[in-house]
Amino acid sequence: MILANSSRQFSTVRFTLPTSSSPAPLRTQILTFTSASLPRRLSHFKCLSASLPFAAETARHYRELEAAIDVVEAASKLCVEVQTALQSSATGILEKNDQTPVTVADFSVQALISLELGRRFPSIPLVAEEDSASVRASNLVEPVVNLVVEKAGAGEEPLTAEDVLEAIDRGGPEAFTFGAQPATYWLLDPIDGTRGFVMGNKALFVVGLALVVDGEIVLGVMGCPHWQESNKCISGVQEEKSIPFGTGLLMVSHIGCGTWTRSLSSVINGTPKTPYSWTRCFVDDCSIIPQARFCIIESEAWEALPPAALFTSTTNAESVGQDQVLVLKPCCGRFVLFYLIASSNTGLLRYF
């Protein structure tokens, strides 16, 4: 899981793995991929990252961060297009064993990112969420393949259905086992907040990607296509209105270089790109619980969190009483919550 933690002076995006108590602990990679084992048909992505807000000499994994930005931007655009199509049809939405939804976009994002990262960094494996079994069993092979082929572009040879399905499986749960030695791998959540994704423009969702090097998280990128500037002052659920142009936010972090954001609007809307303007994330030093605001995800209740032993909660900002705290509307995914924390300057807190 990708966790955004913020210090008093500046915020940084930190990524931590599930603990041994997690219901489905990750396993360390024992197989590595050589360039010969990966398709060479995928064409080069056009470099969208342009420039980062810090010099390459200060960031050891600058190339990897540029690649992560490129694939997350492409995946964010794909998600918006799929989401629009899903509003007119429920086709392409499945339910996992844990009753969480998964869509053609989840599979397509995983395949797209797997193919491109495999081409650029063939020796670094991918740990993700999905596998191709559900795609095959649910007759989603054709829409998933069509989406990936369209976004990947034309290479030396056209991508086949098996190329796309194998790309999904390279990040699947059966692809890796974890051993005692620290591993190096990409860590991907194709869509965090899929419930929000299938709701349309009422809720936010995030494409999240991180790089782990020898067991240490060194960089992370999150794309939130429907983010609006006002969200950092409210919650992860949008008002009942259409998403305007000029929305979308990319959040990036590299160890030692801080956390930064910039707009995704030109990528999402296909408008001419202007020079990117990066904004560094800062948070305040609020440390008094009654003065803070709290945000939780939809599957949680305030009563289950540690502060509930001392404070009751209210969602009405106009009537926060004594021994009460303000709790914002629940987010549909943890990454959206981390977005809010990392970009907030008004005492937004979260207990883990």
Side-chain angles (χ1 to χ4, degrees), residues 313-321 324-328:
S313 67
T314 179
T315 57
N316 187 349
E318 303 300 323
S319 61
V320 181
Q324 273 193 324
V325 295
L326 178 63
V327 176
L328 303 182

Side-chain angles (χ1 to χ4, degrees), residues 127-138:
V127 176
E129 290 194 341
E130 315 302 343
D131 59 40
S132 68
S134 298
V135 182
R136 299 174 191 269
S138 305

Side-chain angles (χ1 to χ4, degrees), residues 2-6 11 13 72 76 192 204-208 220-228 231-233 235-236 248-252 259-262 264 281-283 295 331 333-345 348:
I2 301 182
L3 308 181
N5 297 324
S6 302
S11 69
V13 177
V72 168
S76 297
D192 180 71
L204 304 175
F205 63 91
V206 169
V207 178
V221 177
M222 296 194 291
C224 189
H226 290 332
W227 180 271
Q228 297 183 63
N231 281 323
K232 68 180 181 182
C233 297
S235 74
L249 195 73
L250 187 78
M251 181 175 286
V252 308
T259 299
W260 302 78
T261 62
R262 68 163 166 78
L264 271 176
C281 294
F282 291 85
V283 296
C295 188
C331 295
R334 293 184 183 274
F335 289 9
V336 174
L337 185 152
F338 304 146
Y339 250 93
L340 290 166
I341 295 173
S343 64
S344 173
N345 58 6
L348 182 63

